[in-house]
């Protein structure tokens, strides 16, 4: 999820803006007694001698406007959040919308506390009405997302749990941690059945291949490893990234691995379909992996992107960000359809159920929230 | 000694200073902050202010302030690892108000040594040095010493590459009668939430300028044109 795109920042002023800026500079020079500079400036910028009163103090005002705008935006967002809490039907009536258009609505159905540190990842169980959260408090917690009940805690890791994943049957959960290990948990007995050692640093991502026979992990040690579930052995190590490999995911037909890294590269193993990535540059990008091209960008978040998920209906992308919001993006029109103020702090993770109308988010505020879609 | 690194002696016997230092080392190893704050209680308590939570926390910070620290203590902490594993864009330093046994010159010397060591450890980070805020309800000799320190730092640091000195305008906290209000500093030394609002504004602006990251003001990597449009049409 963490890729930094290098983009040139160029400030482009229109002719009108340039003239206005010159006049504001002239007023500033005049007001502050820089007479010689003013005369020369007016000559070189080819400006009339007298300065329109409307530019009085304009440069200083514009100079401080960023701070003023930020404060205003903060206030407005707080007011909007309050207003939305009182009026939570929002949008056309439920029966007039198809399930493919059901999106999460505030306020949250449940806000679940229990973790004693930031929540790093939240995922749905593929079969049961269970969701699982991982946290920097080194535990994994299970919750019923329909009732909001806490079910149990899986203990065993000795440092922050960074990522969790189910195999497609939901019989096994894989977890990886800053303690450099990967654990496999039996989801019937809720036991840790294997601990995989081999990475030399924080393991930040883990996922099953579609067959469930292998797990793939990525680490701050710059490698990706493939592990055989039956034996617990590491059968392959992929090198190639020059920095921490933040995340790795497997394509649904098993043919392709996607990984992203602090070295700002993404790699696809072979030609294939589409990949969605989110980055610390605040952008979400859609890529055609076969040609390695960015098809479009989704812009709007104010901070690092931390989680992405496709809406099962295929029309939307949902994202979670350090700007404390959950956003819904219309893929066809490439725009931010809706923004929810989701948490009190960075939102670190988001998942959407493949068939039931629920979205879950996890946050540095140590809570897990369940959102109903309608 | 103001410029010789020294840890705080555990006179009381509860080891709190070392516990905080150890916690900072763990945080420095595990996290990826873009802004690191380091200094005394003025830095430490900043993280509980609403301004910090709204404007500074979103920038991905770590706060390594410890109350009562003097220049030689902050120096020791930097030399002993607190800036080792991180790669911040900006480092914010504020220290000196607790160096009661040292002259203004010595405090300046201590701060300059911290600047030197910090730039050595983090040559590509932008360093913001904050002036020391005034203290005491009424005019007093400590305020004069602080004013001398700030004036000297301004002279010594202007022109230093990668260092920005943010001076404290006396009028920020001192009114026309020469008094500091308890509404800004509840004990005439430590700031209230209102006090921090005033103190943090120039700091926040500078941090954003240096890291080229303006929160809540449209995604900066693209779309700067629409921002210019908005700002240019903002009526005064």
């Amino acid at each position: 999820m963490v890729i930094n795109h290098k983009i040139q920042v160029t400030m482009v002023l229109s002719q009108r803006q340039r003239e206005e800026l010159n006049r504001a500079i002239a007023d500033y020079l005049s007001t502050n007694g820089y007479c010689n500079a003013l005369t020369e400036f007016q000559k070189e910028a080819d400006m009339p001698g007298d300065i329109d009163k409307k530019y009085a103090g304009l440069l200083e005002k514009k100079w401080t406007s960023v701070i003023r705008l930020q404060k205003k935006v903060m206030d407005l967002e707080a007011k909007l959040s309050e207003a939305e809490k009182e009026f939570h039907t929002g949008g056309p009536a439920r029966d007039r919308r198809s399930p493919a258009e059901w999106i999460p609505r505030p306020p949250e159905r449940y806000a679940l506390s229990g973790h004693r540190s930031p929540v790093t990842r939240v995922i749905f169980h593929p079969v049961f009405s269970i969701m699982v959260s991982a946290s920097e408090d080194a535990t994994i917690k299970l919750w019923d997302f329909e009732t909001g009940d806490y079910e149990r805690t899986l203990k065993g890791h000795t440092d922050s749990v960074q990522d969790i994943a189910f195999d497609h049957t939901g019989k096994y959960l894989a977890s990886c941690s800053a303690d450099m290990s990967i654990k496999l948990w039996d989801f019937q007995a809720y036991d840790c059945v294997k601990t995989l050692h081999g990475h030399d640093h924080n393991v930040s991502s883990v996922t099953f291949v579609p067959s469930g026979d292998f797990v793939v992990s990525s680490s701050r040690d710059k490698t990706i490893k493939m592990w055989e579930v039956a034996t617990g052995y590491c059968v392959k190590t992929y090198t190639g990234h020059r920095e921490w490999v933040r995340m790795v995911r497997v394509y649904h037909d098993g043919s392709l691995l996607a990984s992203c890294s602090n070295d700002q590269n993404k790699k696809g193993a072979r030609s294939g379909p589409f990949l969605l990535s989110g980055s610390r540059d605040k952008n979400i990008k859609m890529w055609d992996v076969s040609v390695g091209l960015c098809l479009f960008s989704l812009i709007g978040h104010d901070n690092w992107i931390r989680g992405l998920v496709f809406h099962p209906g295929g029309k939307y992308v949902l994202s979670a960000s350090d700007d404390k919001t959950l956003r819904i993006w219309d893929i066809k029109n490439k725009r931010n359809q809706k923004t929810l103020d989701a948490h009190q702090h960075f939102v670190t993770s988001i998942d959407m159920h493949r068939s039931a109308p629920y979205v879950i988010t996890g946050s540095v505020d140590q809570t897990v929230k369940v959102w109903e879609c309608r | 000694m103001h410029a010789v690194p020294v840890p705080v002696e555990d006179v009381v016997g509860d080891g709190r200073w070392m516990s905080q230092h150890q916690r900072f080392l763990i945080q420095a190893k595990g996290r990826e902050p873009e802004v690191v704050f380091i200094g005394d209680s003025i830095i430490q308590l900043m993280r509980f202010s609403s301004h910090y939570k709204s404007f500074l926390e979103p920038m991905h910070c770590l706060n390594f302030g410890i109350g009562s620290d003097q220049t030689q203590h902050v120096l020791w902490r930097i030399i002993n690892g607190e800036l080792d594993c991180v790669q911040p864009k900006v480092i914010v330093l504020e220290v000196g108000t607790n160096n009661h046994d040292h002259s203004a010159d010595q405090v300046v010397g201590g701060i300059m040594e911290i600047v030197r060591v910090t730039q050595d450890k983090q040559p590509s980070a932008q360093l913001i040095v904050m002036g020391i805020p005034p203290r005491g309800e009424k005019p007093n000799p400590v305020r004069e010493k602080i004013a001398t320190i700030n004036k000297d730092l301004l002279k010594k640091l202007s022109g230093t590459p990668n260092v920005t000195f943010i001076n404290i305008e006396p009028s920020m906290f001192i009114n026309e009668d020469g008094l500091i209000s308890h509404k800004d500093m509840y004990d005439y030394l430590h700031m209230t939430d209102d006090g921090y609002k005033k103190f943090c504004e120039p700091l926040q602006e500078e941090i954003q300028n240096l890291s080229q990251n303006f929160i809540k003001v449209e995604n900066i990597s693209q779309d700067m044109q629409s921002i210019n449009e908005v700002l240019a049409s903002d009526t005064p």
Side-chain angles (χ1 to χ4, degrees), chain A residues 278-316:
Chain A
S279 162
R280 286 181 185 181
D281 72 4
K282 312 178 192 177
N283 293 336
I284 296 164
K285 285 181 184 290
M286 181 78 88
W287 307 81
D288 180 331
V289 176
S290 61
V291 290
L293 279 181
C294 173
L295 298 173
F296 59 84
S297 301
L298 300 173
I299 297 162
H301 272 300
D302 293 314
N303 212 324
W304 299 358
I305 311 293
R306 301 295 296 272
L308 286 174
V309 69
F310 277 103
H311 189 295
K315 290 191 179 177
Y316 303 113

Side-chain angles (χ1 to χ4, degrees), chain B residues 145-161:
Chain B
K145 177 182 166 192
I146 287 173
T148 308
I149 293 170
N150 288 343
K151 201 161 124 203
D152 207 4
L153 283 174
L154 176 64
K155 225 189 319 164
K156 287 199 157 72
L157 290 173
S158 51
T160 313

